[in-house]
């Protein structure tokens, strides 16, 4: 640990491994659900409860995690969450009843939600303006890698006796590696000052409470003091539009669209999962390269505009080529054994679940979404938000072939646009806009709305289709994206090239320029501690 360049790779490993853990834990249930159904004889409602139990723990973490992050510190919160995840993984791996499975999933959900928030905040506080965007966006890339890794392990362990136990157990591996990396990182920039060989990159902000700085309470988030109300509007607007554009539900139709252009059976499921995963990884890497060049605001505007166009295109195409659907459940185990690799339709940030063939066509409620990045960061994304049954013997008519491929292109653009904009940038902006004294609680507050909105979108999907039809549902999501575009243009400022202290100072102005950060080069930033007035 004697090299001055160690901080960057250590921060990168913490961010990447944190996202990998989050993505793996989200997606692993889709591969474990079938063997669990066979071993425990789970009914459809029990399967839905098992999938949704992750959401219960994640919601709880978003409600109380902010206080833990601010009180004990970011590093301690991540280490503690990894211990909790280890306990949850043990509970899942050794489970002998549904109750233990539910407990393990809830504990794991609490752990990954808390870790995602603390990880994004910790990395953003340690990194400098030129590295912060890339390092936080790396968390989003880690989520997708974790999802793809879970697909590979699910496939490899599908036929092994008790393979689902190993699937759950492997979630602890990246968490342990992240904890090892954390041991070599300071607790914050105050601690970094004592690590001369690590170079404190932020250069002026303390991540521990300073008696000379103002104290904030939770109620201050809604007050005019230091423009906290304006910051909360920005944070809530981003997380709500991230979900209300319908990303988890739109991606539930990915496998149907792949089948419509000629792919059949298991190959359609594999392509929907791995193909969209590859697109998502490529788009996230592109976002990492552009976030410090084009800026956060530009990526959000471009991504939201492309989402509006692509999902509206899906709606228009589905007028001419209906995409039939029906909720499915793993009620008939023999009919679902070889359905291909599962997918993810999350947060932040997601891939599409495969359509599981089934002989049970009776209406059933959808499996609840449990997405953060997500993520997560951040974030985030549930691999089994909806399971939809494609029409039997689907074969595209020649006159509809062009429309089918158009739908496929729209789906690819939609995934890419989310991964460039809302996916990584939402959590980056949330980690930047709040004062250090309340950053953990504010981040968690916005994150709780992210989970709640995800749940609302998932629960309302089938009712919305029944009321206005699938095509109009897609068009409604497109209209929501247009409103999101207007929100970003009017309210979300550019934070590129600014230290956290500079961003805080800019937000304290009652009216701030939306383009601040464009004209100032990060190389010329002078770091100094900001004295903030305690007056409202």
């Amino acid at each position: 640990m004697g090299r001055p360049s160690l901080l960057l790779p250590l921060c990168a490993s913490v961010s990447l491994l944190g996202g990998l853990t989050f993505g793996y834990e989200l997606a692993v249930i889709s591969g474990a659900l079938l063997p669990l159904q066979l071993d425990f004889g789970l009914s459809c409602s029990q399967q839905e409860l098992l999938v949704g139990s992750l959401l219960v723990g994640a919601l709880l973490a978003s409600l109380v995690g902010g206080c833990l992050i601010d009180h004990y510190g970011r590093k301690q919160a991540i280490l503690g969450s990894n211990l909790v995840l280890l306990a949850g993984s043990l509970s899942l791996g050794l489970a002998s009843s549904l109750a233990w499975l539910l407990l393990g999933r809830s504990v794991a959900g609490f752990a990954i939600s808390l870790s995602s928030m603390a990880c994004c905040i910790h990395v953003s506080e340690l990194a400098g303006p030129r590295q912060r965007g890339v390092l936080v966006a790396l968390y989003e890339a880690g989520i997708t890698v974790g999802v793809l890794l879970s697909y590979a392990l699910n496939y490899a362990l599908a036929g092994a006796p008790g393979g689902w136990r190993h699937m759950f157990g492997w979630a602890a591996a990246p968490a342990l590696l992240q904890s090892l990396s954390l041991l070599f990182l300071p607790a914050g920039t105050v601690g970094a000052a004592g690590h001369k060989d690590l170079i404190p990159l932020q250069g002026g902000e303390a991540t521990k409470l300073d008696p000379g700085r103002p104290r904030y309470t939770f109620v201050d988030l809604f007050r005019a003091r230091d423009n906290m109300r304006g910051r909360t509007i920005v944070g809530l607007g981003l997380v709500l539009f991230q979900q209300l554009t319908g990303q988890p539900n739109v991606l539930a139709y990915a496998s149907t669209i792949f089948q419509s252009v000629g792919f059949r059976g298991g190959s359609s499921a594999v392509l929907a999962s791995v193909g969209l995963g590859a697109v998502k990884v490529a788009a996230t890497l592109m976002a990492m390269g552009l976030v410090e060049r084009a800026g956060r605001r530009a990526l959000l505007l471009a991504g939201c505009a492309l989402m509006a166009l692509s999902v509206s295109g899906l709606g228009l195409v589905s007028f001419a080529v209906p995409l039939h659907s029906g909720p499915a459940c793993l009620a008939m185990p023999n009919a679902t054994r070889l359905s291909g690799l599962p997918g993810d339709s999350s947060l932040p940030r997601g891939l599409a679940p495969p359509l599981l063939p089934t002989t049970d066509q009776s209406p059933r409620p959808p499996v609840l979404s449990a997405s953060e990045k997500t993520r997560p960061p951040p974030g985030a994304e549930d691999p089994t938000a909806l399971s939809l049954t494609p029409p039997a013997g689907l074969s595209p008519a020649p006159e509809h072939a062009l429309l089918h491929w158009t739908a496929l292109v729209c789906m690819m653009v939609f995934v890419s646009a989310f991964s460039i904009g809302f996916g990584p940038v939402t959590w980056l902006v949330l980690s930047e806009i709040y004062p250090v004294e309340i950053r953990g609680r504010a981040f968690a507050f916005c994150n709780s709305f992210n989970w709640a909105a995800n749940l609302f979108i998932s629960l309302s999907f089938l009712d919305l289709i029944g009321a206005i039809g699938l095509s109009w549902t897609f068009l409604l999501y497109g209209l929501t994206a247009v409103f999101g575009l207007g929100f970003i243009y009017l309210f979300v400022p550019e934070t590129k090239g600014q230290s956290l202290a500079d961003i805080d100072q800019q937000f304290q102005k009652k009216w701030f320029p939306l383009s601040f950060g464009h004209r100032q080069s990060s190389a010329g930033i002078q770091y100094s501690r900001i004295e903030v007035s305690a007056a409202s």
Side-chain angles (χ1 to χ4, degrees):
M1 199 174 71
R3 296 172 180 259
S5 59
L6 274 181
L7 182 59
L8 278 177
L10 285 173
C11 284
S13 66
V14 168
S15 186
L16 180 65
L17 290 170
L20 196 150
T21 304
F22 189 97
Y24 183 91
E25 195 65 63
L26 283 175
V28 69
I29 186 62
S30 56
L33 201 56
L34 175 60
L36 285 172
Q37 194 273 341
L38 296 175
D39 287 355
F40 292 93
L42 302 179
S43 65
C44 287
S45 60
Q46 288 174 327
Q47 293 173 51
E48 293 164 4
L49 184 61
L50 181 58
V51 172
S53 59
L54 187 82
L55 179 61
V56 175
L59 277 173
L60 179 60
S62 67
L63 294 175
V64 304
C67 296
L68 298 176
I69 294 171
D70 282 340
H71 182 74
Y72 293 103
R74 289 72 160 122
K75 179 178 178 179
Q76 287 73 18
I78 300 174
L79 291 172
S81 67
N82 286 341
L83 288 176
V84 173
L85 180 65
L86 179 60
S89 298
L90 287 175
S91 176
L92 288 166
L94 301 176
S96 58
S97 66
L98 177 61
W100 280 104
L101 290 172
L102 293 175
L103 176 63
R105 286 284 290 170
S106 299
V107 169
F110 182 95
I112 62 174
S113 180
L114 176 61
S115 177
S116 67
M117 296 184 291
C119 187
C120 290
I121 295 173
H122 190 48
V123 170
S124 72
E125 290 175 341
L126 286 178
R130 288 179 296 178
Q131 296 87 17
R132 188 171 60 243
V134 174
L135 290 177
V136 176
L138 191 61
Y139 189 92
E140 174 74 14
I143 291 177
T144 307
V145 173
V147 170
L148 293 176
L149 179 62
S150 74
Y151 296 161
L153 284 178
N154 288 349
Y155 185 80
L157 297 172
W164 59 269
R165 300 183 186 274
H166 299 284
M167 295 178 192
F168 287 129
W170 275 106
L176 291 175
L177 291 175
Q178 185 195 39
S179 298
L180 183 62
S181 297
L182 274 171
L183 295 179
F184 296 96
L185 278 178
T189 53
V190 170
H195 290 68
K196 301 301 182 182
D197 52 343
L198 287 180
I199 305 181
L201 295 181
Q202 195 54 49
E205 172 160 1
T207 56
K208 294 182 180 180
L209 290 180
D210 186 337
R213 288 179 61 90
R215 301 299 181 99
Y216 295 94
T217 65
F218 179 76
V219 179
D220 287 325
L221 290 176
F222 312 99
R223 291 176 175 167
R225 173 191 179 188
D226 295 335
N227 200 19
M228 294 297 292
R229 185 186 301 149
R231 307 180 202 223
T232 302
I233 290 174
V234 171
L236 288 181
L238 286 177
V239 299
L240 289 177
F241 278 113
Q242 182 190 48
Q243 295 297 332
L244 295 178
T245 48
Q247 191 241 179
N249 296 338
V250 172
L251 292 181
Y253 279 86
S255 190
T256 298
I257 293 173
F258 275 88
Q259 289 185 350
S260 74
V261 296
F263 298 98
R264 294 289 182 271
S267 66
S268 173
V270 172
L271 192 61
S273 299
V274 179
L276 288 179
V279 169
K280 183 175 174 61
V281 169
T284 304
L285 292 176
M286 182 186 302
M288 289 173 57
L290 293 175
V291 69
E292 294 298 347
R293 291 184 174 90
R296 288 81 157 130
R297 179 176 160 85
L299 291 184
L300 284 171
L301 288 171
C304 196
L306 287 174
M307 287 177 70
L309 291 174
S310 57
V311 75
S312 298
L314 279 174
L316 293 175
V317 168
S318 63
F319 274 118
V321 186
L323 299 176
H324 305 282
S325 67
C329 171
L330 298 179
M332 303 294 291
N334 291 334
T336 61
R337 181 174 296 276
L338 298 176
S339 58
L341 293 179
D344 171 41
S345 65
S346 62
L347 70 154
R349 4 181 174 157
L351 309 175
L355 306 185
L356 302 176
T358 176
T359 58
D360 183 1
Q361 298 297 321
S362 59
R364 298 183 185 275
V367 175
L368 300 182
S369 171
S371 87
E372 200 260 275
K373 143 154 1 96
T374 55
R375 354 343 21 301
E381 308 198 27
D382 172 28
T384 52
L386 285 173
S387 183
L388 302 171
T389 305
L394 182 64
S395 89
E399 63 271 17
H400 288 158
L402 179 60
L403 291 176
H404 288 145
W405 283 101
T406 301
L408 177 60
V409 171
C410 288
M411 178 66 69
M412 292 293 192
V413 172
F414 187 86
V415 172
S416 301
F418 183 86
S419 299
I420 289 174
F422 278 130
V425 180
T426 295
W427 311 110
L428 172 58
V429 172
L430 281 178
S431 68
E432 293 176 328
I433 62 176
Y434 288 103
V436 61
E437 292 80 10
I438 198 174
R439 188 171 292 143
R441 284 164 289 171
F443 195 108
F445 173 72
C446 294
N447 194 34
S448 66
F449 275 80
N450 177 68
W451 289 94
N454 186 290
L455 177 61
F456 169 77
I457 288 296
S458 297
L459 290 177
S460 64
F461 189 38
L462 295 182
D463 290 334
L464 193 59
I465 291 177
I468 64 176
L470 178 62
S471 297
W472 285 108
T473 298
F474 283 166
L475 291 175
L476 179 61
Y477 290 152
L479 179 62
T480 305
V482 172
F483 286 127
L485 192 64
F487 173 84
I488 294 167
Y489 182 80
L490 293 175
F491 295 101
V492 180
E494 179 57 72
T495 58
K496 178 189 71 172
Q498 301 289 308
S499 70
L500 298 183
D502 291 331
I503 296 171
D504 183 38
Q505 191 175 48
Q506 291 282 358
F507 261 102
Q508 289 177 41
K509 300 176 181 178
K510 298 302 179 183
W511 180 260
F512 49 83
L514 292 178
S515 61
F516 77 71
H518 276 297
R519 301 181 180 88
Q520 185 173 5
S521 169
S522 59
I525 294 175
Q526 298 297 320
Y527 296 98
S528 61
R529 179 167 298 172
I530 298 174
E531 296 298 333
V532 183
S533 172
S536 298

